[in-house]
Amino acid sequence: MALNLLFPTEIKNISFLASSKPSNQHLLKLQGGFALKRKDYGSTFRKRIHCSAQQPPPAWHGRAVVEPDCKTWDGPKPISVVGSTGSIGTQISSELWHWLAGSNVTLLAGQVRTFKPQLVAVRNESLVGELKEALADVEDKPEIIPGEQGVIEVARHPDAVTVVTGIVGCAGLKPTVAAIEAGKDIALANKETLIAGGPFVLPLAHKHKVKILPADSEHSAIFQCIQGLPEGALRRIILTASGGAFRDLPVDKLKDVKVSDALKHPNWNMGKKITVDSATLFNKGLEVIEAHYLFGAEYDDIEIVIHPQSIIHSMVETQDSSVLAQLGWPDMRLPILYTLSWPDRIYCSEITWPCLDLCKLGSLTFKTPDNVKYPSMDLAYAAGRSGGTMTGVLSAANEKAVEMFIDEKISYLDIFKVVELTCDKHQAELVTSPSLEEIIHYDLWARKYTAGLKISSSLSPVPV
């Protein structure tokens, strides 16, 4: 399956906005608008969406201050991990008490033997028997609860202090909500919690006085940089991006790239989906939305910068123009550790984490990302400005489009197109202050709509 796209040099003309961080004069003159200006569609399509003026409160108002009564731990900190067999869960090295896994029984059984949790949940109920058989010789067997109810029980276990949300997609929303309602702090490793669920999750977290602590490297870097800032000191957020597999490839070559090309990340060894997201820069566009929800920065004050070495994980600029950065070797374990130990810092030997040697590194370089090569930035900023259910639709459409690309059903450039068309279609049903049910509904709708796009005789695909 392939969609009929414009030539790569014309991609810029089909983006929602003119640039990834446009000034006000470059925006279409709409009221809170999410608008398209397309080429050769028969007519210029423009639509207004009036978004609610009541924005959800950010997780952190541009600063991170430790309350006087904040508890610290001398021994192991009780933690629940939702998604223990995923990429985040397998990198957590502290003493963990409660686990949730999906379908990797062998890995889960090994985790149970190592960490001796009290409670284990298995989403795939048919695998419970296999897990019990694998743990037959374990003396202190954990309680095992199957299905979605097990996920929720792990998330709100009374002994847990912090819950790591590592399930990919909107499947992680319900356990996250359950954890928040039970008063657990959230170690955020699931982007959809805020990108899709922000309008619902953030007010809930404030209601229950729950902390949302970012576990991914970029937002952890920002979080580390705002420690102790006075109120109102944050002026700008600078998100660094590796640029992905095609950062040095000319734009006119993108029409010919294959799946194997997109999976050749220059710096990281990651899963297929996130590696493709890095190539398209959708990962950074989604991180812009997440940074807005986490730290309360306006979209005009969040900038993306290509940093090929991936040593500076992100930066903040203060009102007096000082720039604070967090540096380190590319290693996801450090932001995870900081999220779980905050506000403390845990000593790590140089054997665990080699010290950063700037002299050995030599140089750090930066460049402005190309909006023509990365139209995902325009799509993400436009979706973020629309707010409500639009950001979740963007994320779900991209996830489905990447899946279709990996399965070789669409081309690389089609990813941007199908995401744009799905967001365009959603404008008529945009909900600015959605319930949890509405968020999940439109996530599923976006996936179905994206999967149903097919070739038509016109420039744009149409749903089946």
Side-chain angles (χ1 to χ4, degrees):
M1 175 179 180
L3 306 180
N4 186 12
L5 270 183
L6 296 173
F7 193 73
T9 55
E10 296 183 285
I11 290 176
K12 190 171 183 179
N13 293 323
I14 65 170
S15 298
F16 288 99
L17 300 175
S19 68
S20 67
K21 185 180 177 292
S23 59
N24 290 334
Q25 64 265 30
H26 292 152
L27 297 176
L28 295 174
K29 301 301 182 180
L30 300 178
Q31 300 294 322
F34 188 88
L36 295 175
K37 292 185 70 176
R38 296 217 184 124
K39 188 173 181 179
D40 298 327
Y41 276 28
S43 65
T44 300
F45 179 93
R46 295 185 181 183
K47 182 169 288 190
R48 291 186 180 184
I49 293 296
H50 294 271
C51 293
S52 171
Q54 184 65 37
Q55 296 296 319
W60 302 90
H61 290 270
R63 61 200 294 254
V65 178
V66 182
E67 291 88 351
D69 59 348
C70 184
K71 185 175 181 179
T72 58
W73 299 85
D74 295 327
K77 184 178 182 179
I79 296 169
S80 287
V81 181
V82 181
S84 70
T85 57
S87 61
I88 295 294
T90 54
Q91 294 183 74
I92 295 173
S93 57
S94 53
E95 189 73 21
L96 304 176
W97 285 23
H98 319 287
W99 293 92
L100 157 72
S103 58
N104 193 331
V105 173
T106 302
L107 178 56
L108 178 59
Q111 291 175 335
V112 170
R113 292 175 183 276
T114 301
F115 297 108
K116 299 178 176 58
Q118 295 179 3
L119 175 63
V120 171
V122 182
R123 278 192 294 169
N124 188 339
E125 299 184 31
S126 65
L127 298 176
V128 171
E130 185 179 341
L131 177 61
K132 289 181 177 180
E133 183 179 345
L135 299 175
D137 60 337
V138 174
E139 287 188 17
D140 297 324
K141 294 181 176 62
E143 180 183 2
I144 300 174
I145 303 179
E148 186 176 4
Q149 188 57 39
V151 179
I152 291 173
E153 293 306 322
V154 165
R156 67 186 183 192
H157 193 284
D159 291 346
V161 172
T162 300
V163 176
V164 181
T165 58
I167 294 181
V168 175
C170 277
L173 272 175
K174 286 186 177 180
T176 301
V177 168
I180 292 172
E181 291 176 337
K184 315 298 183 183
D185 286 342
I186 304 299
L188 186 64
N190 167 297
K191 290 182 181 299
E192 284 74 18
T193 296
L194 293 184
I195 293 169
F200 178 84
V201 167
L202 288 170
L204 190 69
H206 280 272
K207 176 183 176 181
H208 292 278
K209 299 180 179 179
V210 162
K211 296 281 190 276
I212 298 180
L213 304 157
D216 64 319
S217 60
E218 292 82 3
H219 298 101
S220 175
I222 297 165
F223 185 63
Q224 293 180 59
C225 289
I226 66 172
Q227 300 297 308
L229 284 185
E231 188 171 355
L234 180 64
R235 184 160 77 181
R236 186 166 59 115
I237 288 174
I238 305 168
L239 286 167
T240 54
S242 68
F246 305 134
R247 69 186 180 202
D248 299 318
L249 190 71
V251 173
D252 59 2
K253 300 292 185 183
L254 291 177
K255 64 182 184 298
D256 300 318
V257 300
K258 306 298 182 185
V259 175
S260 57
D261 301 320
L263 295 179
K264 296 174 182 176
H265 196 284
N267 298 356
W268 303 83
N269 182 17
M270 305 178 292
K272 290 184 178 180
K273 196 269 181 182
I274 187 59
T275 305
V276 174
D277 278 352
S278 181
T280 62
L281 221 67
F282 258 115
N283 68 326
K284 213 54 53 178
L286 294 171
E287 286 171 14
V288 165
I289 297 168
E290 194 174 0
H292 167 75
Y293 281 132
L294 274 170
F295 308 111
E298 297 295 334
Y299 285 103
D300 281 345
D301 299 325
I302 305 173
E303 182 179 346
I304 298 172
V305 174
I306 301 294
H307 171 48
Q309 294 82 18
S310 296
I311 295 298
I312 295 179
H313 299 300
S314 276
M315 298 171 272
V316 302
E317 182 182 30
T318 60
Q319 295 293 349
D320 60 2
S321 78
S322 292
V323 175
L324 310 177
Q326 188 266 325
L327 287 72
W329 295 117
D331 192 327
M332 276 300 299
R333 294 176 300 164
L334 181 57
I336 294 170
L337 177 65
Y338 185 67
T339 297
L340 296 179
S341 64
W342 185 85
D344 296 324
R345 291 276 187 176
I346 294 177
Y347 170 77
C348 294
S349 70
E350 192 172 346
I351 297 175
T352 305
W353 269 284
C355 291
L356 181 63
D357 189 335
L358 292 175
C359 295
K360 183 177 180 181
L361 186 65
S363 64
L364 302 175
T365 59
F366 309 89
K367 63 179 180 179
T368 302
D370 184 348
N371 290 72
V372 178
K373 180 181 286 188
Y374 303 115
S376 51
M377 295 189 297
D378 293 336
L379 296 171
Y381 276 89
R385 289 187 170 93
S386 290
T389 50
M390 188 62 77
T391 51
V393 165
L394 174 89
S395 177
N398 172 64
E399 187 173 330
K400 188 63 182 179
V402 170
E403 178 187 317
M404 294 161 68
F405 167 64
I406 291 173
D407 292 341
E408 299 184 345
K409 295 179 179 178
I410 62 175
S411 73
Y412 174 78
L413 290 177
D414 293 342
I415 296 173
F416 307 107
K417 189 62 180 175
V418 297
V419 173
E420 181 192 20
L421 290 169
T422 304
C423 291
D424 178 19
K425 182 69 174 179
H426 181 58
Q427 290 184 91
E429 297 184 26
L430 173 63
V431 181
T432 57
S433 298
S435 65
L436 181 61
E437 290 72 22
E438 287 171 322
I439 289 167
I440 294 172
H441 166 76
Y442 283 111
D443 174 90
L444 296 173
W445 171 87
R447 295 169 192 274
K448 183 178 179 180
Y449 184 84
T450 301
L453 291 169
K454 70 171 187 178
I455 299 174
S456 74
S457 57
S458 63
L459 185 62
S460 6
V462 295
V464 175

